[in-house]
Amino acid sequence: MGTQPSKIALLVSSLISLSAFSAQAEETNITSANIDETITVTGSRFDRTADQQLTVINTIEREEIVRLNPKSVADVLETLPGVSVSRNGGAGQATSISIRGSNSNHVLVLVDGVKVGSATLGTVSFNTLSPENIERIEVLKGPRASVWGSDAIGGVIQIFTRQLSGGEWFAGAEYGSDDYIRGSFGAGMSHGEGSTTIAVNHEQSKGYDVYNGAEVENDDDGYKRNALSLKGSQQINSNWQAIWNGQYDKGNTQYDDIYASGSADESDYENYLWNLAGQYHNDKFTSKLALSQSRDNNENFRGDDASVAIAEFETKRDQVNWSNQYLAADELTLTGGIDWSTEQVKGDYAQDQRDIFAVYALVQKQWSKLLAEVAVRYDDVENIDNELSYNASLAYQFNEQWSFAATTGTAFKAPTFNDLYWPDSGNPELLSETAESYDLTLHFNNQAFRAYISVFQNKIDNLIAWAPTGEKDDFGWDIWKPANINEAKITGVELSAHYQLFGLDHQLGYTYLDAENTQTGEQLIGRSENEFNYMLSYTWLQFDLLANYHYQGKRYAGSEQFLDAYHKLDLSVGYQIDDAWSLRLKANNLFDEEIISDKNYFGPGRELFFSVSYQAF
């Protein structure tokens, strides 16, 4: 793999010369006559138009996902400002997502409203999720524990699975580099005043050798991924509606163990979630009761001998959510509810289950050009502590184009079961990590151009890290355990814009970060000071073109070492044969740049993919 910075610089300068500034779609403005009426739900759990949102929420719709033709959810998220991705290799490898410089376990991830992820590691396996089954992604920036509870320190990512009307269906096939193969199918079925969508997807790739360093295993690290999603609703009468959805993911990932020769080098996963809900709605009042369950299961083993180094990790989470919204007046909205969940983990833990009970309330009020919102939530996490979280926001509409919003809030992250109860090394005295955040955002919107710039700061206390206890083991070695010893301060600027010029659609996102461990004065590991994304798209007759350029600045790797900055250019060309049939050619990392987002792993080099799809309406 080689680098060609001169070619990249020439291309980027040519693209930017077409525009002064461009951006990712955003739904955060207060009322404006020209604003797109995109509906989001992550900010308050209920449908809200852009003029009702006070926090920055980026959305990516199905149409853009198709043009991006991603091989992982991370490929989609990386196009957004303020979202940073670190990969242990390619699409099937472990991936970390950071929002505005927060830790990867400081991001709450929901699938159709259901919390997913591991309660042992505290993270989400993004490599197990199939982009082909996704209809829309909403990414909320900044703390939102006041509505969603634990983990939402950096932000919230909510993934919505595909939904078709009765009689609609699609099918697709794809082949590409490293013997990548994909097949997908989905159909919508009507039943009276309702419909149900079922979608299936299979992907596999032989992969490549991801390890960056001395030989550990000279092998390809491939993956297989199967996904099934079910989503539907039934209108019982004018007021009552039943809602259901489910997701099942099963697969295998091969990887390189960089720490110990002969240990586990493969992982099987089998994850699922289901959700059943009933909703009552009239002109003033909406109430929704949802019952759900999710499971995150991983089994690690040695590929050439499945009896060696077996380790299994499983989280099962039962959830009950009761959410309500009342339109008390034309300009006053009251929202509130109760959440209960129980987390169970499999393993030799001193404690393998805990209950979490929470109540929350949100009030939004408009006075002419002024919009205010206050949200408060109380969480009781069994055997840990109680947390009171809040968000307070105020926005002012100067005119139809310009508006300004100020937000402050707190959030927390409950310790994981590994932190608390891992045999011989857990610390049951740990407290939750806590954060306090401030955000100032200026928005501009008209028919031709929409943009925002945010200045934010997030202070995180009681960060959990390994530390010596002062005790010695039987061999005289120091005993280390997790402790609430670290503090961090993250300050940054986030810029997003979107406009059309010369028949081209331009989108741009830029993030500046100053992320510091305030205990040591060092930069936080894995953060870039500068990150930039530029997307250019064009449609002509039956053709569409999308060029996506990503710049990742150098990242601190610890011990006064840095990972090199890199550039990445992807191109996607589609051809619509007729109303149903379409073809697409995708090139990733066109200039074969050497990409290392984690110091021990290579990213893929140049990749090519060809797909054919059919969609009936």
Side-chain angles (χ1 to χ4, degrees), residues 424 467-481:
D424 300 323
T469 64
E471 302 175 311
K472 303 284 186 180
D473 62 15
D474 293 340
F475 301 97
W477 295 93
D478 289 331
I479 296 176
W480 289 58
K481 289 187 177 182

Side-chain angles (χ1 to χ4, degrees), residues 328-529:
D330 289 342
E331 309 296 343
L332 177 63
T333 303
L334 308 177
T335 305
I338 297 174
D339 291 339
W340 172 86
S341 65
T342 180
E343 297 177 335
Q344 303 174 58
V345 299
K346 180 181 290 186
D348 187 20
Y349 294 96
Q351 184 86 22
D352 60 8
Q353 180 176 326
R354 69 184 178 199
D355 292 335
I356 303 172
F357 175 80
V359 294
Y360 74 97
L362 183 150
V363 179
Q364 188 175 95
K365 172 66 176 174
Q366 177 116 32
W367 296 273
S368 184
K369 295 184 177 183
L370 191 66
L371 180 63
E373 180 184 271
V374 176
V376 180
R377 179 180 168 113
Y378 171 82
D379 283 86
D380 182 3
V381 184
E382 185 179 11
N383 297 324
I384 303 178
D385 52 16
N386 303 324
E387 293 293 337
L388 186 66
S389 308
Y390 75 88
N391 275 94
S393 304
L394 192 64
Y396 184 76
Q397 184 78 43
F398 297 104
N399 52 42
E400 289 187 351
Q401 296 180 334
W402 291 95
S403 63
F404 178 79
T407 299
T408 182
T410 60
F412 74 100
K413 163 71 177 177
T416 68
F417 280 82
N418 284 2
D419 293 331
L420 294 163
Y421 309 119
W422 186 262
D424 300 323
S425 64
N427 179 5
E429 302 302 319
L430 290 173
L431 301 175
S432 294
E433 299 175 333
T434 58
E436 184 174 10
S437 177
Y438 304 90
D439 182 301
L440 300 175
T441 305
L442 180 66
H443 308 273
F444 177 84
N445 180 79
N446 64 19
Q447 289 181 338
F449 186 91
R450 64 181 184 268
Y452 71 83
I453 182 169
S454 286
V455 179
F456 58 87
Q457 184 179 89
N458 203 353
K459 297 180 179 179
I460 309 174
D461 296 324
N462 292 328
L463 281 166
I464 297 172
W466 286 84
T469 64
E471 302 175 311
K472 303 284 186 180
D473 62 15
D474 293 340
F475 301 97
W477 295 93
D478 289 331
I479 296 176
W480 289 58
K481 289 187 177 182
N484 296 104
I485 59 169
N486 279 348
E487 298 176 357
K489 181 180 178 181
I490 304 169
T491 304
V493 178
E494 178 179 308
L495 170 70
S496 174
H498 183 192
Y499 75 98
Q500 292 184 340
L501 183 65
F502 304 135
L504 303 174
D505 188 79
H506 306 261
Q507 299 186 47
L508 173 148
Y510 169 75
T511 308
Y512 167 80
L513 278 181
D514 179 11
E516 179 187 11
N517 182 331
T518 54
Q519 294 284 65
T520 64
E522 293 186 327
Q523 295 182 42
L524 296 182
I525 292 176
R527 277 69 166 182
S528 295
E529 189 174 71

Side-chain angles (χ1 to χ4, degrees), residues 57 86 131 158 163 179 252 268 325 330:
I57 301 179
S86 178
Q158 181 154 203
Q163 189 164 14
D179 288 338
N252 169 274
D268 284 344
Q325 180 171 273
D330 289 342

Side-chain angles (χ1 to χ4, degrees), residues 118-427:
S118 169
T120 56
L121 297 175
T123 56
V124 174
S125 299
F126 286 96
N127 56 306
T128 68
L129 300 171
S130 171
E132 191 63 23
N133 283 8
I134 296 174
E135 182 69 30
R136 186 174 88 258
I137 301 176
E138 296 179 4
V139 180
L140 183 150
K141 311 294 183 59
R144 204 59 173 170
S146 59
V147 173
W148 294 104
S150 178
D151 301 359
I153 287 180
V156 181
I157 297 172
Q158 181 154 203
I159 297 169
F160 299 88
T161 53
R162 295 187 71 170
Q163 189 164 14
L164 305 173
S165 300
E168 294 183 347
W169 64 278
F170 70 87
E174 186 172 8
Y175 180 78
S177 297
D178 298 323
D179 288 338
Y180 173 86
I181 299 173
R182 174 181 63 81
S184 57
F185 174 82
M189 298 164 285
S190 296
H191 36 75
E193 295 295 320
S195 64
T196 296
T197 299
I198 183 170
V200 295
N201 185 71
H202 170 78
E203 297 172 72
Q204 66 181 55
S205 171
K206 74 174 184 179
Y208 63 97
D209 193 4
V210 301
Y211 183 53
N212 170 35
E215 287 295 330
V216 175
E217 297 179 61
N218 185 18
D219 64 346
D220 290 330
D221 300 300
Y223 66 93
K224 294 180 181 180
R225 184 161 59 198
N226 297 288
L228 168 67
S229 66
L230 182 74
K231 190 170 189 177
S233 64
Q234 181 69 43
Q235 196 70 39
I236 300 172
N237 56 38
S238 60
N239 298 119
W240 287 95
Q241 183 184 37
I243 303 166
W244 54 87
N245 59 271
Q247 177 80 18
Y248 176 76
D249 300 288
K250 183 177 181 178
N252 169 274
T253 297
Q254 300 168 346
Y255 56 91
D256 282 338
D257 181 3
I258 63 174
Y259 299 106
S261 177
S263 63
D265 65 358
E266 286 195 35
S267 174
D268 284 344
Y269 65 86
E270 188 174 10
N271 305 334
Y272 70 78
L273 67 86
W274 58 261
N275 180 60
L276 298 173
Q279 180 170 289
Y280 173 84
H281 174 76
N282 62 30
D283 293 340
K284 294 286 188 180
F285 180 64
T286 301
S287 182
K288 182 177 180 179
L289 179 64
L291 310 177
S292 60
Q293 183 182 85
S294 64
R295 186 183 78 159
D296 184 284
N297 178 271
N298 284 270
E299 183 176 2
N300 301 321
F301 58 92
R302 184 75 189 168
D304 53 11
D305 185 352
S307 66
V308 176
I310 293 178
E312 184 175 7
F313 302 91
E314 179 179 283
T315 296
K316 185 177 288 186
R317 185 178 289 111
D318 297 314
Q319 303 173 68
V320 179
N321 311 111
W322 182 38
S323 301
N324 305 273
Q325 180 171 273
Y326 178 61
L327 303 180
D330 289 342
E331 309 296 343
L332 177 63
T333 303
L334 308 177
T335 305
I338 297 174
D339 291 339
W340 172 86
S341 65
T342 180
E343 297 177 335
Q344 303 174 58
V345 299
K346 180 181 290 186
D348 187 20
Y349 294 96
Q351 184 86 22
D352 60 8
Q353 180 176 326
R354 69 184 178 199
D355 292 335
I356 303 172
F357 175 80
V359 294
Y360 74 97
L362 183 150
V363 179
Q364 188 175 95
K365 172 66 176 174
Q366 177 116 32
W367 296 273
S368 184
K369 295 184 177 183
L370 191 66
L371 180 63
E373 180 184 271
V374 176
V376 180
R377 179 180 168 113
Y378 171 82
D379 283 86
D380 182 3
V381 184
E382 185 179 11
N383 297 324
I384 303 178
D385 52 16
N386 303 324
E387 293 293 337
L388 186 66
S389 308
Y390 75 88
N391 275 94
S393 304
L394 192 64
Y396 184 76
Q397 184 78 43
F398 297 104
N399 52 42
E400 289 187 351
Q401 296 180 334
W402 291 95
S403 63
F404 178 79
T407 299
T408 182
T410 60
F412 74 100
K413 163 71 177 177
T416 68
F417 280 82
N418 284 2
D419 293 331
L420 294 163
Y421 309 119
W422 186 262
D424 300 323
S425 64
N427 179 5

Side-chain angles (χ1 to χ4, degrees), residues 556-572:
Y556 184 57
S559 302
E560 299 183 354
Q561 297 181 359
F562 289 86
L563 300 179
D564 290 339
Y566 65 82
H567 308 260
K568 182 172 181 281
L569 177 66
D570 301 337
L571 290 178
S572 175

